[in-house]
Amino acid sequence: MNNFQNVFDAQKANQFNVGQTTYKERIAKLNALKQAIEVDYKQAIRDALYADFKKPFIETDLTEIYPVLGEIKYVSSQLKKWMKRQKVKTPISFLGTSSWYVNEPKGVCLIISPWNFPLNLTFGPLVSAIAAGNTVILKPSEMTPHISDVMGDIISKLFPENEITLVQGEVEVSTELLKLPFNHIFFTGSPNVGKVVMEAASKHLTSVTLELGGKSPTLIDASANLEHAATRIAWGKFLNNGQTCIAPDYILIDERIKEPFIMAFKDAVKTLYEDAKTSNAYARIVNNRHFERLQNHLEDAKSLGATIVLGGHCVSADNFIEPTVVSELPEQASLLQEEIFGPILPIKTYQHIDEALAYINAKEKPLALYIYSENKTQTQYIIDRTRAGSTAVNTNVLQYINHYLPFGGSNNSGIGKAHGIFGFQEFSNMRSVLKQHIKVSVEFLFPPYTDVKQKLVDFTLKWF
């Protein structure tokens, strides 16, 4: 028997009770979660994330706590409207009927979250699931055990197990959970694991939201403000030590401005972190396995003749890699083939913008594409000729925090969207309803078929 069958069955039995809650009852649950994160457990959250990978307190506040609180506030302000019956028009050929749809809960949901933003990427989707009226099993990453313990304590204090529960464990736990016939699975992680989740979901025809990753390009043209670009890219890249799914993964820059940009980037890094090893604003790689993975990327680059133009220093005992920029990389270098997920930034040059676009489009669709340009015409040219889950112009990463925007990838970088109304819809089924009030015209076309009815059909095909 599946180790989680009992809790799944309990949530399945309870799903209609939870699904029939009012918007006020759901908002009360969200407010209880808000109180826990904002007040009761705030310092415990900070301490746990520092223990897991030395995440600075301010970074925890801005990238873990703030996005969840913002999501709760926004969802709470809109939930009454989202839960209302949504009326739609009735075609004239259906005169005598009315039509609408309702957002009904999907049912029993599974949220599998990663280690890089563990609070944000566990409780963010949970806000949408609660708002939509679902029961939920949460499975956070085993790589950040301290914050998983805190989140488990919060959930157990606020919710009964047959409504929301959090389970911990290694990959075997996720494997067992994925065998169960959930109504929806929300997974955040790598494309490779996303394929495993989707395959497991297909056995039960379970709908999925897959928030994946990939290599997000940052394109800088000759018109860009290099000082602004350097500062913003340095912040976006080295935030959370580069362990961010929408971090700039590599730079494509007009070859004429490469050297001035590198100088500006070095200045920006020095301003942000001074000495990264002693900076209170610079996190660490989550564990030694990921540290070694990144170190191997650097060794591979060196062996292929690449140039480290900034950083490159590593300390295994502290899982520390300083802010690093690598240039002159051959295409076969692993840094250009795999998602980096760390504080290493490759830089490539181009001569013509179409050369850069061809390079981007030859790869899988990225989760994000960043453009630094003061040329509005060229910016639109780039957007029109590329595909990406999201795009930011003259900034990066910030698009994630805007809950008015849908967040998610396309194909290899993901399926489905999150945040705001889009997250609510992921955890909802749009159930259509048509109600007949009087005899409608279509009834005149019921069998038996006659010549007169054929003429009516011909008339309908032409005019309606």
Side-chain angles (χ1 to χ4, degrees), residues 59 62-63 117 233-244 247 273 281-283 397:
E59 218 163 87
L62 291 177
T63 66
F117 291 96
I233 294 169
W235 170 77
K237 177 61 179 180
F238 302 124
L239 178 76
N240 206 44
N241 213 218
Q243 299 164 119
T244 306
Y273 302 109
Y282 196 71
V397 177

Side-chain angles (χ1 to χ4, degrees), residues 140-151:
S141 172
E142 68 277 8
M143 293 188 197
T144 45
H146 295 90
I147 190 62
S148 290
D149 285 344
V150 174
M151 291 190 295

Side-chain angles (χ1 to χ4, degrees), residues 85-142:
R85 174 188 295 185
Q86 307 293 319
K87 294 182 180 179
V88 298
K89 293 181 179 179
T90 299
I92 193 169
S93 55
F94 287 92
L95 197 64
T97 70
S98 57
S99 303
W100 65 90
Y101 67 89
V102 291
N103 290 300
E104 68 177 11
K106 283 194 172 175
V108 188
C109 300
L110 172 64
I111 296 174
I112 302 178
S113 56
W115 52 264
N116 59 323
F117 291 96
L119 183 93
N120 181 348
L121 297 178
T122 303
F123 284 172
L126 178 62
V127 170
S128 297
I130 292 171
N134 298 282
T135 62
V136 185
I137 296 178
L138 300 164
K139 167 57 177 74
S141 172
E142 68 277 8

Side-chain angles (χ1 to χ4, degrees), residues 164-231:
I164 301 172
T165 191
L166 184 148
V167 299
Q168 295 192 54
E170 304 285 332
V171 66
E172 295 80 10
V173 170
S174 296
T175 301
E176 280 292 287
L177 286 167
L178 287 170
K179 293 177 183 177
L180 296 168
F182 286 95
N183 299 113
H184 189 73
I185 298 173
F186 191 111
F187 169 79
T188 306
S190 70
N192 286 338
V193 180
K195 293 173 185 177
V196 174
V197 172
M198 193 170 184
E199 182 179 5
S202 71
K203 293 174 182 174
H204 302 291
L205 296 180
T206 298
S207 60
V208 295
T209 305
L210 304 178
E211 298 289 356
L212 308 178
K215 298 186 71 62
S216 295
T218 298
L219 201 159
I220 308 173
D221 76 7
S223 72
N225 183 314
L226 295 188
E227 182 181 349
H228 291 170
T231 299

